[in-house]
Amino acid sequence: MRMGVLGGTFDPIHFGHLAAAEAAIECADLDEVVFVPTGKPPHRPRAVATDEQRLEMCRLATTDEPRFAISDVELEREGPSYTLDTLLALRGANPHAEMFLILGWDAASLFRSWHRPAEVLALARVIVVSRPGRGSPTEEQVEAAGIGPGRAVLCSHPTPAVSASEIRRAIAAGQPVMEMVPEAVAAYIARHHLYRVNQAVG
């Protein structure tokens, strides 16, 4: 089985995340993409929504796509959420899977600064998905970022120009977000009154 791993804060999950997963499936002929909500990311502030809320929004967004799965491995683990630990846990649960790490070019361009990047590459090839406004990276740029030859799959499929921070700001301003998130996720956000406080939407 060819398994893609897509990590993120998912605060909230949106059409950009889903499009990146679909692009990765096409570019690398994946059988499955596992969405992994971050627990305690070492380089980002904590999420606005709770772990349980982010996990449930991921479930709601992916329930109709049989090739999408959800893992709470980072939410259940203590300490900082390093991608290496996540891949090791998923490899332990799926010992026969060929693993691929799905990254937008914005994240992939910083790969060299990650925690033990060589060990990450030993576990999984990296699918580098183009991001709106960043263009498509060249093989030379990807290698310069620390992703060596043969370990990258360049995926230039277009994805929507939408971000979670943009969604949170829109909700705080009372604006509709139906064009940015699945209907079930929008309903969940409304039902739980998420992201309505301006101080908590950055």
Side-chain angles (χ1 to χ4, degrees):
M1 180 180 72
R2 294 165 69 87
M3 183 175 73
V5 179
L6 179 58
T9 309
F10 302 129
D11 192 25
I13 191 170
H14 53 67
F15 285 134
H17 298 128
L18 300 176
E22 291 166 355
I25 286 174
E26 292 188 28
C27 288
D29 194 26
L30 303 180
D31 298 297
E32 179 180 70
V33 170
V34 180
F35 290 75
V36 184
T38 53
K40 300 177 182 65
H43 302 303
R44 288 190 177 191
R46 285 195 64 84
V48 176
T50 67
D51 292 351
E52 293 76 15
Q53 288 169 334
R54 293 185 295 121
L55 191 65
E56 183 60 22
M57 285 189 283
C58 285
R59 289 191 178 115
L60 291 169
T62 60
T63 187
D64 293 330
E65 174 49 76
R67 296 174 298 178
F68 291 169
I70 308 297
S71 172
D72 63 356
V73 61
E74 290 197 7
L75 303 181
E76 294 296 320
R77 190 171 63 231
E78 295 294 327
S81 297
Y82 291 117
T83 298
L84 176 61
D85 296 330
T86 299
L87 292 176
L88 286 169
L90 292 173
R91 165 55 55 82
N94 304 273
H96 303 297
E98 183 179 1
M99 299 178 66
F100 295 79
L101 179 63
I102 304 167
L103 298 177
W105 173 225
D106 49 350
S109 66
L110 303 174
F111 186 80
R112 192 181 293 278
S113 69
W114 283 28
H115 176 69
R116 295 158 71 178
E119 293 176 59
V120 171
L121 289 179
L123 285 168
R125 292 170 66 191
V126 179
I127 302 172
V128 182
V129 180
S130 300
R131 291 280 292 151
R134 290 294 302 264
S136 300
T138 64
E139 291 184 6
E140 291 76 17
Q141 287 175 314
V142 170
E143 286 189 29
I147 305 172
R151 302 308 293 167
V153 178
L154 302 188
C155 187
S156 59
H157 288 43
T159 57
V162 56
S163 70
S165 58
E166 175 189 5
I167 293 167
R168 295 193 298 269
R169 286 192 294 269
I171 292 169
Q175 299 169 354
V177 295
M178 290 294 291
E179 294 184 357
M180 295 185 278
V181 300
E183 183 177 353
V185 173
Y188 183 89
I189 289 170
R191 187 162 64 251
H192 291 271
H193 311 293
L194 293 176
Y195 312 124
R196 292 190 180 181
V197 179
N198 281 294
Q199 291 88 339
V201 300

